[in-house]
Amino acid sequence: MVLPTNSSARSFQNTRAPMGGEQRRKELIALAYSIIAEKGFEGLRVRDVASRAGINGATLHYYFPTKEAMVQAVVEHLTEQFSTLREQNSELTDPLAMLRQEFADVTYRMEKFPELFIVAAELELRSLRDSSIAVILKEMYQAWQDYLAALLQNGVTQKVFRSDLDVQTTAIAITTLIRGLGSQLGSEKGDQISRIATQVEQWIMA
């Protein structure tokens, strides 16, 4: 999944941070992210982030004036993680190989970084009550769908995939299946992703 840098979340960066401040900011975001993964969104407390970082509340507020600003930064961090954590970086050009790699990347994330999907599920629930988070998550998932739709269209053009394939609907179906699976518990997700990938190929192949 190739995702753009999110301008909405980036607006919350503190441009007045001192030298080394950006690294500290990233550390604080990572701590907030890990707390959400451990305790859920409702378990996120600003004082806990400060305590784990070994700083006081005033220092934390220098980087994040409000809890909402911290949450926005966590959403941006999640977007970056989904974009960069891949099984391998390859220059694939064949549409079918690229689609298979997409499923391989999802399996890799689920096995190696399950917290990605835990945090994503928590933030999706929060987005029902927080429009600013909803906007960022929508951008993230829309970018994923657009990438898959372009990949599928390339396959149609090359006559690898069916000529009558509805690439937009298929892209939505793939992302919806994977998002739903990511919110479930269990160690068999890799096998489930493999079965989904096989079924998708049966649907789309020319």
Side-chain angles (χ1 to χ4, degrees):
M1 173 168 48
V2 179
L3 301 175
T5 301
N6 190 285
S7 57
S8 300
R10 188 170 55 244
S11 65
F12 284 86
Q13 292 182 2
N14 191 321
T15 58
R16 298 179 299 167
M19 184 176 296
E22 182 59 22
Q23 181 59 39
R24 168 62 85 177
R25 181 178 182 278
K26 290 179 179 178
E27 293 171 356
L28 295 172
I29 294 169
L31 287 172
Y33 174 90
S34 66
I35 290 174
I36 294 175
E38 292 171 15
K39 303 180 179 181
F41 185 87
E42 300 306 323
L44 178 63
R45 301 286 183 271
V46 172
R47 63 176 178 271
D48 292 341
V49 177
S51 176
R52 291 195 185 192
I55 60 177
N56 57 37
T59 301
L60 180 65
H61 286 143
Y62 181 84
Y63 294 95
F64 302 104
T66 65
K67 181 178 179 180
E68 288 71 23
M70 178 181 291
V71 172
Q72 295 284 348
V74 169
V75 177
E76 179 182 21
H77 177 69
L78 179 72
T79 301
E80 292 173 350
Q81 293 290 92
F82 269 117
S83 182
T84 58
L85 294 177
R86 307 175 69 85
E87 185 180 41
Q88 62 184 30
N89 292 317
S90 57
E91 298 299 326
L92 298 174
T93 57
D94 174 73
L96 181 56
M98 291 174 68
L99 183 61
R100 288 173 174 171
Q101 184 62 51
E102 188 69 15
F103 283 110
D105 288 340
V106 170
T107 301
Y108 173 76
R109 295 184 191 108
M110 286 185 172
E111 292 178 349
K112 302 295 184 180
F113 307 96
E115 68 278 3
L116 278 173
F117 298 90
I118 296 172
V119 175
E122 289 289 333
L123 290 173
E124 285 195 37
L125 286 174
R126 179 66 179 182
S127 72
L128 298 176
R129 303 188 301 277
D130 189 324
S131 60
S132 60
I133 294 177
V135 167
I136 299 173
L137 289 179
K138 182 179 179 179
E139 289 178 2
M140 181 177 78
Y141 291 127
Q142 186 62 57
W144 187 12
Q145 290 173 11
D146 290 346
Y147 169 75
L148 286 173
L151 187 161
L152 293 167
Q153 183 58 58
N154 188 31
V156 171
T157 301
Q158 295 186 30
K159 299 182 179 180
V160 176
F161 303 147
R162 290 168 36 193
S163 61
D164 62 344
L165 184 67
D166 184 333
V167 297
Q168 294 292 341
T169 300
T170 304
I172 292 172
I174 292 172
T175 56
T176 300
L177 283 169
I178 293 174
R179 286 170 60 185
L181 185 59
S183 65
Q184 298 176 21
L185 299 176
S187 57
E188 68 285 351
K189 289 182 181 179
D191 290 338
Q192 292 173 330
I193 288 292
S194 179
R195 290 198 295 271
I196 289 174
T198 299
Q199 185 62 63
V200 168
E201 287 189 28
Q202 292 177 4
W203 291 338
I204 69 176
M205 292 302 291

